[in-house]
Amino acid sequence: MNSEFTIAVHCLVFLSMRSECMANSEDLSQSVGTHPARVRKVLSVLRKHGYLTTKEGAHGGYLLSRPSEEIKLGEVYRLVAGGSLGPSWCSGESGSPCKVSSNMQGVMGAIYDGGEEALSAYFDRISILDVMQSIERGEGPFPLEGVSTKEKI
């Protein structure tokens, strides 16, 4: 998975916690711990898709344009990181006489597609507000429905 998803969620939560005032890319990059240009790249995608509004100038910055409870992590994931679960390279070669080699790419592609769908569906159940509240309470991860913490470890 790429880091753009984490940057996007971090910035959306940061802006949600500061809903009354704008934050510029310097404020956001300092909180995220990365270069402002990298933050601006991710924020431009979020702005283009209606999650943020911007104001230019000395006192400008970014504001959420949607309520944080309406922004689901699944939407953000598909926007900035969709398809990144699968590797950029897979073993095997489709024309190979070896049964494993000739079928590995297709089989692994289907496995990664299924994982992508499951991950996206899980993220669809979590909003930016949920993440913000979890941070405020100092809680850990969100459990998968029907799976105990002990089973996941």
Side-chain angles (χ1 to χ4, degrees):
M1 183 178 307
N2 67 31
S3 57
E4 278 75 14
F5 176 64
T6 301
I7 293 169
V9 172
H10 188 121
C11 290
L12 291 168
V13 170
F14 184 92
L15 292 168
S16 182
M17 292 177 119
R18 293 182 48 166
S19 61
E20 300 293 318
C21 57
M22 293 190 141
N24 61 37
S25 60
E26 289 290 331
D27 299 329
L28 290 161
S29 68
Q30 187 171 16
S31 178
V32 172
T34 193
H35 196 276
R38 191 162 185 219
V39 168
R40 284 191 295 272
K41 179 182 172 191
V42 173
L43 294 178
S44 70
V45 174
L46 296 174
R47 186 187 62 74
K48 179 181 173 186
H49 288 88
Y51 294 92
L52 304 174
T53 56
T54 57
K55 180 182 172 190
E56 304 280 329
H59 300 289
Y62 300 89
L63 282 171
L64 285 182
S65 58
R66 291 175 52 189
S68 59
E69 64 271 14
E70 291 180 11
I71 303 173
K72 300 295 184 180
L73 298 191
E75 301 168 9
V76 177
Y77 175 77
R78 288 184 293 274
L79 202 62
V80 300
S84 65
L85 186 61
S88 59
W89 176 85
C90 186
S91 63
E93 192 174 320
S94 60
S96 172
C98 173
K99 189 171 189 163
V100 175
S101 182
S102 65
N103 290 288
M104 187 56 72
Q105 290 179 1
V107 170
M108 290 306 295
I111 290 169
Y112 282 114
D113 288 348
E116 188 85 33
E117 289 174 20
L119 181 62
S120 189
Y122 171 65
F123 285 162
D124 280 336
R125 298 193 313 253
I126 304 168
S127 71
I128 292 298
L129 178 62
D130 294 330
V131 177
M132 182 182 78
Q133 290 173 339
S134 182
I135 289 169
E136 288 175 337
R137 290 189 299 262
E139 291 180 347
F142 296 87
L144 293 170
E145 244 176 41
V147 178
S148 75
T149 306
K150 288 180 183 177
E151 289 174 28
K152 288 187 284 184
I153 298 175

